[in-house]
Amino acid sequence: MSEKSTVYNPKEIEERYYKIWESRGYFEIEGNKAIQEKGKNFSIMMPPPNVTGSLHIGHALTFTLQDVITRYKRMDGYKTLWQPGMDHAGIATQNVVEKQLLAQGIKKEELGREKFLEKVWEWKAYSGGQIFHQMRKLGASPAWSRERFTMDDGLKKAVRKAFVKWYEEGLIVRGNYMVNWCTHDGALSDIEVEYETHKGKLYHLKYFLQNSQEYLVVATTRPETYFGDTAVMVHPEDERYKHLVGQKVVLPLIGREITIIADEHVDMSFGTGCVKVTPAHDVNDYEVGKRHGLEFITIFDEAGMLNDYCGAFQGMERLSAREHVIAKLQEEGFVDKIEDYENQVGHCYRCKNVVEPYISKQWFVKKEIAQGAIEKVNRHLTEFYPSHWINSYNAWMKELRDWCISRQLWWGHQIPVFYCDACGHEWASENESEHECPTCKSTQIHQDPDVLDTWFSSGLWPFSTLGWGNGDVFKEEKWSQSDLSDFYPNSLLITGFDILFFWVARMMFSGEHTFQELPFKDVYLHALVKDEHGQKMSKSKGNVIDPLDSIEAFSADTLRFTLAILAVQGRDIKLSTEKLEQMRNFTNKLYNASRFLLMNASSFEDLENIEIRTALGAYMKSRLSAATEEVRGYFSDYRFNDAATTLYRFLWGEFCDWGIELSKADKPAILELGAIFKEAMKLLHPFMPFISEFLYQELSDTTLEANESIMIKRYPHDLKRDEKIEETFEIVIEAIVAIRRAKANIDLANKKIEHAYLKVTDHSTLQEAMKYICLLAKVEHIDFTETKIANAVTDVSDHVEVFIPLTGVDLTPIIERLNHQKIKLEKEIAKLSGMLSNERFVANAPQEVIAENQKGLEDAQNKMAKIESELRSLSL
């Protein structure tokens, strides 16, 4: 920009500046080499977004906070790595491509595995970069040249290395387990099942005793599973049924006999006290079946189709068969009753299909792998922010089960286990393919067709991206030999609390088991972004805030600063258009401050190159020092909202509102204020990178194209405070405000007055500062007084009393106006008090209406108190 801009155009500036920053390599590890300090390293991993994804508001918060801390560390002299990357998202991505093919009438099975995977890679190439493009819009500054993909050639090698290592240690095993089964997506881990309240039915079925008209009643929400029953269970102490233990009942319709068993698992007080046992299709029954040596009968296949154990219902889909099964049971007299029933039903987190407990041969990582991570976390070798998340981590780890890592998909890391068809040998290999059995040398071998759970590869993310297990793939291109020593353990992880167990815990035990050291020094878990009413955002509610729309309407800086200032640790973020507008006003305030400064000088030096000579300059520099100290302290505790609030308070409340105003009485201070404002832009830069760069260059009378960027300047530090000058200006500002208030009470707010009196404890410090008070309070003469001035309107604040003589001032219209306002407020207060004391109104009105009325009453009472105070001051 060769000429000073008369208007700030964020769209044009953001796009142009970002390209310059990226092209100059500022985001890379060596981007700030000139200011790096030996021994200061900082690393943070981007939670790899799904290849299927686009930027949503949760991403915007995560990436904003990560970028804020990264830019801060970069400016503070750290060798900095913000590692970007993308996750292959096995289930989600395969679902997307399958749907695209089905829309063309093509099933993946018709293509075969290899051709289908070609289609997935094509789709990845087409859409995979979308979210990174959107992140650039946000101003994110990761080391883009090091971008990784969880299925790139280097990370594939790392996955195979980890699998083989754990397999050989006996930590990865294969066996028949009961798993969560989605008939569309296959096996799921426990935390991939989402439970929803379901209003269904409880079916009470009659099981007749063998050769008898006597029957037992069992209740079930899944009547179609009774074909897999292999026992009926009662409590051993239940007197109603003791005599029946060991006898047999006959399953309705199919006539198969099953035994009545006794087990303490039964709750005698629930229902009839009789429970059907379906070991192959119920988690609790699975354990009962193992205890009692029951038969495990699987009644449907992997697609959920009923098999020949189900008699005439063979071939029906298990859920659609329910009404047909019940209809037949009712027709034959086997239904005792049907009741409405509400229960929790598990659904696949991806396709929302109802999940079934299902016995299947799968691969598992044994829970023992996590013992070291559990122990080290509880020695606080990793700190959680907010700290209470360690309790959630411990609670989950305490109940940790073996992790099912095999998935019945084609897209993903194919399990690196091979089987010999000739001799039956099984082995794991780090090689991408094998050609002969190592035992019998037969070439009749095949690889396990399943792929690994997506979270297996992302669990290695904190170190696989640093070259571990990559061989020489991408060496010195996307990772360097020194990366592990420089950046492991990672300095910080920032992510949403909702993936603590999906991802964070798995990285913890993967990293600890590999290096005997936890992968993170600090873990910051942010809350959810909700709407202004605290409601979760959803398309169905119509309350979704799209970050890209917000950037288009308000600018990237505005969205970033809004999210940061609302990011209180442990508290949900209530995002609203009103908040975004408020922060846009902040950017306008900063721009207008720079316009004022540039009206008085064409350029300003950096603060380090000038000597502060004026009292106002010394005051503003001291306040900048205080803000710098606060912001640095908040960064050390990851209190992003407090750091942003400090910047807002200093830049708007102190510099723009007071520094600029006071300079109107001290023109020589303006050159100093310009240098201070430039330094403040460095302080602001991590939060608002674009406007801070723009204003810094404008005030320097240069352009980014021709000058070094603010983003690799040193972050402000070691600025000296002058508490004495701060105390002086606090009283100056207090005096100006007090005089303005007193003038407003007598309708002279914007008029210049002849005379005012100040009563202060020590007026010697104010002698040099009277020019500020006189000009900004619009007073011709100010005298100091030790006593109260008669016949004067008064304003009293913490350190100052103000007296404005009333000689020649007609108070009648002022008192009439105040009394008129008082009467109106009395009516308003009476009306609102009456409504809020009405029990029926309070009981029936919506909560937001009650809150609105309570606020209205509080505001009216505050106004009344102010009016009464003004009337008292005029009753002379």
Side-chain angles (χ1 to χ4, degrees):
M1 192 173 296
S2 55
E3 296 180 4
K4 295 287 193 304
S5 175
T6 56
V7 65
Y8 178 63
N9 181 345
K11 290 179 190 172
E12 188 266 336
I13 290 296
E14 288 170 4
E15 185 174 350
R16 185 156 56 87
Y17 279 9
Y18 194 93
K19 286 178 180 175
I20 294 172
W21 291 336
E22 187 175 354
S23 67
R24 289 183 184 173
Y26 288 148
F27 305 158
E28 305 301 327
I29 288 174
E30 300 299 329
N32 65 335
K33 191 170 184 178
I35 60 170
Q36 283 180 12
E37 298 175 36
K38 192 172 181 181
K40 288 176 72 171
N41 295 335
F42 175 81
S43 58
I44 186 169
M45 294 286 157
M46 179 186 292
N50 288 354
V51 68
T52 58
S54 60
L55 190 72
H56 59 63
I57 200 68
H59 287 136
L61 174 61
T62 300
F63 299 144
T64 291
L65 298 183
Q66 288 194 318
D67 194 54
V68 167
I69 197 71
T70 299
R71 286 177 181 270
Y72 165 66
K73 293 291 186 179
R74 192 182 285 130
M75 294 177 75
D76 205 32
Y78 283 79
K79 183 178 181 181
T80 302
L81 168 62
W82 181 12
Q83 173 67 53
M86 189 176 295
D87 191 89
H88 65 280
I91 293 176
T93 304
Q94 179 155 323
N95 280 343
V96 168
V97 178
E98 274 194 72
K99 285 176 183 175
Q100 290 175 348
L101 291 171
L102 286 171
Q104 302 169 41
I106 304 170
K107 291 185 177 180
K108 73 177 192 299
E109 289 76 12
E110 295 169 14
L111 289 177
R113 185 168 191 146
E114 285 190 20
K115 291 287 185 185
F116 176 75
L117 290 178
E118 285 177 15
K119 292 289 184 186
V120 181
W121 280 106
E122 284 173 16
W123 185 85
K124 187 265 178 186
Y126 167 74
S127 68
Q130 181 184 6
I131 195 167
F132 285 160
H133 171 72
Q134 294 166 343
M135 285 173 63
R136 286 173 166 88
K137 292 273 189 188
L138 187 66
S141 63
W144 287 120
S145 72
R146 295 175 55 114
E147 176 193 326
R148 302 302 298 268
F149 180 52
T150 49
M151 283 184 60
D152 70 34
D153 288 341
L155 298 189
K156 278 183 178 178
K157 288 177 73 71
V159 165
R160 292 196 296 270
K161 181 181 177 71
F163 185 98
V164 172
K165 179 176 184 290
W166 298 350
Y167 175 91
E168 291 176 349
E169 292 171 348
L171 290 169
I172 289 182
V173 296
R174 187 180 186 226
N176 283 313
Y177 285 73
M178 176 161 278
V179 297
N180 303 295
W181 187 265
C182 171
T183 56
H184 182 268
D185 293 321
L188 303 172
S189 67
D190 291 342
I191 52 177
E192 290 172 323
V193 180
E194 296 176 344
Y195 288 90
E196 298 173 10
T197 300
H198 174 72
K199 292 184 177 179
K201 302 291 182 182
L202 188 63
Y203 303 91
H204 296 258
L205 308 181
K206 299 176 183 177
Y207 285 13
F208 283 84
L209 278 96
Q210 186 183 37
N211 303 318
S212 171
Q213 291 303 305
E214 186 181 352
Y215 59 84
L216 299 178
V217 175
V218 297
T220 180
T221 57
R222 299 155 67 218
E224 67 280 2
T225 65
Y226 93 87
F227 299 113
D229 288 359
T230 55
V232 168
M233 179 168 56
V234 298
H235 196 281
E237 302 301 322
D238 195 331
E239 295 294 338
R240 294 171 294 176
Y241 305 116
K242 270 187 177 181
H243 65 290
L244 296 176
V245 174
Q247 294 191 38
K248 294 185 181 295
V249 293
V250 180
L251 287 177
L253 304 182
I254 56 174
R256 182 160 52 80
E257 296 176 353
I258 60 176
T259 304
I260 301 170
I261 64 173
D263 193 287
E264 291 182 349
H265 176 72
V266 178
D267 179 359
M268 287 188 287
S269 64
F270 181 76
T272 62
C274 297
V275 181
K276 62 192 285 295
V277 184
T278 320
H281 294 284
D282 183 275
V283 175
N284 294 319
D285 292 359
Y286 178 75
E287 298 300 328
V288 172
K290 288 197 292 185
R291 279 200 298 274
H292 291 267
L294 300 177
E295 187 180 1
F296 286 68
I297 297 176
T298 299
I299 63 159
F300 54 77
D301 64 15
E302 293 179 350
M305 308 303 289
L306 299 184
N307 59 24
D308 55 2
Y309 281 102
C310 306
F313 303 99
Q314 180 179 357
M316 290 187 180
E317 198 280 327
R318 92 275 191 216
L319 294 179
S320 60
R322 184 173 298 172
E323 61 180 284
H324 300 286
V325 171
I326 282 296
K328 188 63 175 175
L329 288 169
Q330 284 178 312
E331 181 185 327
E332 298 288 335
F334 291 111
V335 177
D336 184 58
K337 61 179 177 178
I338 302 173
E339 299 175 310
D340 290 333
Y341 190 70
E342 193 173 278
N343 64 334
Q344 295 290 308
V345 175
H347 293 76
C348 174
Y349 81 117
R350 282 296 179 195
C351 70
K352 309 307 177 187
N353 189 12
V354 173
V355 169
E356 298 281 357
Y358 191 75
I359 294 174
S360 178
K361 183 170 274 192
Q362 302 291 337
W363 288 98
F364 287 80
V365 174
K366 296 182 74 64
K367 63 183 180 181
E368 286 74 17
I369 197 172
Q371 287 309 306
I374 295 169
E375 182 267 329
K376 286 184 172 68
V377 166
N378 283 283
R379 283 167 49 201
H380 294 279
L381 299 180
T382 290
E383 293 291 349
F384 283 91
Y385 296 83
S387 59
H388 68 77
W389 281 112
I390 192 173
N391 299 325
S392 300
Y393 173 86
N394 281 332
W396 189 70
M397 291 301 236
K398 185 180 178 182
E399 301 298 324
L400 194 64
R401 298 185 193 177
D402 293 350
W403 168 24
C404 178
I405 56 170
S406 45
R407 296 291 182 269
Q408 290 63 54
L409 303 170
W410 288 351
W411 173 243
H413 294 273
Q414 192 168 352
I415 289 174
V417 172
F418 298 82
Y419 307 96
C420 178
D421 301 327
C423 72
H425 179 59
E426 169 193 304
W427 74 101
S429 172
E430 290 187 37
N431 298 323
E432 190 164 8
S433 60
E434 290 280 307
H435 303 290
E436 66 175 24
C437 173
T439 300
C440 72
K441 306 305 180 184
S442 169
T443 57
Q444 300 300 306
I445 63 174
H446 70 278
Q447 186 174 355
D448 196 301
D450 287 354
V451 300
L452 289 165
D453 177 11
T454 295
W455 299 101
F456 189 97
S457 52
S458 56
L460 311 178
W461 194 248
F463 51 94
S464 62
T465 52
L466 302 178
W468 182 89
N470 284 224
D472 288 328
V473 180
F474 299 131
K475 187 175 181 181
E476 304 308 329
E477 179 186 346
K478 292 184 179 293
W479 59 274
S480 298
Q481 190 70 39
S482 63
D483 279 357
L484 280 169
S485 58
D486 285 345
F487 300 122
Y488 189 92
N490 303 164
S491 309
L492 173 66
L493 174 71
I494 296 179
T495 191
F497 75 86
D498 50 334
I499 57 173
L500 172 59
F501 309 127
F502 277 103
W503 188 45
V504 181
R506 285 165 176 166
M507 287 190 290
M508 289 290 223
F509 63 66
S510 298
E512 191 283 330
H513 185 73
T514 303
F515 296 95
Q516 288 71 58
E517 191 172 10
L518 292 168
F520 312 107
K521 293 172 185 171
D522 295 325
V523 173
Y524 176 100
L525 298 170
H526 64 68
L528 299 177
V529 185
K530 296 184 175 178
D531 71 11
E532 59 191 302
H533 305 296
Q535 298 292 313
K536 196 169 181 178
M537 293 186 190
S538 70
K539 289 179 182 176
S540 61
K541 290 179 183 174
N543 63 347
V544 172
I545 294 179
D546 186 322
L548 297 172
D549 291 344
S550 297
I551 290 170
E552 179 72 18
F554 295 99
S555 82
D557 284 329
T558 296
L559 176 62
R560 289 166 61 107
F561 200 75
T562 306
L563 289 170
I565 209 167
L566 294 174
V568 181
Q569 283 188 18
R571 194 180 304 169
D572 285 338
I573 290 171
K574 295 181 182 179
L575 185 61
S576 65
T577 301
E578 183 183 1
K579 269 290 178 187
L580 288 163
E581 287 170 349
Q582 181 186 344
M583 296 309 143
R584 179 171 59 188
N585 293 341
F586 179 48
T587 64
N588 293 338
K589 191 80 171 177
L590 297 174
Y591 178 78
N592 290 334
S594 73
R595 293 308 93 195
F596 171 82
L597 293 167
L598 288 167
M599 285 192 317
N600 292 274
S602 60
S603 69
F604 298 88
E605 279 283 357
D606 283 353
L607 184 59
E608 64 204 50
N609 297 330
I610 67 167
E611 182 183 349
I612 300 294
R613 297 177 180 275
T614 69
L616 178 56
Y619 169 58
M620 289 314 310
K621 182 182 177 184
S622 187
R623 293 309 302 151
L624 174 64
S625 172
T628 299
E629 189 178 330
E630 280 187 35
V631 169
R632 282 180 166 275
Y634 290 138
F635 270 139
S636 67
D637 292 329
Y638 311 119
R639 290 167 62 181
F640 297 97
N641 67 299
D642 288 322
T645 300
T646 293
L647 289 166
Y648 183 88
R649 185 203 68 221
F650 168 71
L651 284 163
W652 187 318
E654 295 184 38
F655 188 91
C656 294
D657 278 356
W658 284 110
I660 296 291
E661 284 295 301
L662 292 166
S663 73
K664 294 172 183 176
D666 193 354
K667 294 294 184 184
I670 291 178
L671 284 173
E672 298 171 358
L673 293 189
I676 291 164
F677 193 65
K678 282 176 63 178
E679 194 72 8
M681 289 303 95
K682 296 177 190 174
L683 205 64
L684 179 67
H685 179 78
F687 291 93
M688 291 181 141
F690 296 106
I691 194 167
S692 58
E693 179 81 88
F694 173 79
L695 297 180
Y696 180 85
Q697 301 295 345
E698 287 270 291
L699 292 165
S700 302
D701 194 25
T702 186
T703 63
L704 177 58
E705 286 83 352
N707 195 23
E708 192 176 66
S709 170
I710 191 176
M711 70 175 287
I712 54 169
K713 298 286 187 184
R714 286 301 304 268
Y715 201 72
H717 65 290
D718 295 336
L719 300 172
K720 300 293 183 249
R721 284 192 71 177
D722 184 339
E723 294 186 4
K724 187 174 181 183
I725 199 75
E726 287 189 32
E727 290 170 7
T728 297
F729 273 88
E730 281 170 17
I731 295 174
V732 167
I733 292 168
E734 198 174 320
I736 293 167
V737 171
I739 293 172
R740 287 173 174 175
R741 271 200 306 258
K743 286 169 64 182
N745 285 346
I746 52 175
D747 290 353
L748 296 174
N750 294 315
K751 295 178 182 176
K752 192 166 189 177
I753 62 172
E754 182 70 24
H755 209 162
Y757 293 89
L758 290 181
K759 183 181 177 186
V760 293
T761 305
D762 177 13
H763 56 74
S764 63
T765 57
L766 290 181
Q767 294 294 347
E768 295 296 319
M770 293 309 293
K771 60 183 179 183
Y772 301 111
I773 302 174
C774 288
L775 184 70
L776 271 65
K778 295 185 178 180
V779 183
E780 195 73 37
H781 300 291
I782 296 176
D783 290 319
F784 293 102
T785 181
E786 301 295 330
T787 60
K788 183 175 180 179
I789 303 297
N791 193 33
V793 67
T794 305
D795 186 276
V796 180
S797 55
D798 291 342
H799 304 99
V800 177
E801 276 188 71
V802 166
F803 305 97
I804 297 177
L806 290 171
T807 307
V809 178
D810 182 4
L811 298 179
T812 305
I814 298 168
I815 292 171
E816 285 179 357
R817 173 176 54 79
L818 291 171
N819 279 323
H820 181 68
Q821 290 176 357
K822 183 178 178 182
I823 290 167
K824 283 181 69 177
L825 280 170
E826 284 171 345
K827 290 179 181 176
E828 181 70 10
I829 288 168
K831 174 188 165 188
L832 291 169
S833 297
M835 289 171 67
L836 291 168
S837 61
N838 183 321
E839 292 181 6
R840 182 177 295 178
F841 170 77
V842 172
N844 296 319
Q847 201 59 43
E848 58 268 23
V849 173
I850 294 171
E852 189 179 326
N853 281 293
Q854 286 171 333
K855 187 177 185 306
L857 177 60
E858 187 180 330
D859 290 345
Q861 288 170 334
N862 289 337
K863 288 177 186 174
M864 177 65 82
K866 185 180 177 186
I867 286 171
E868 288 175 340
S869 173
E870 290 176 11
L871 284 169
R872 280 195 300 273
S873 73
L874 297 176
S875 301
L876 308 170

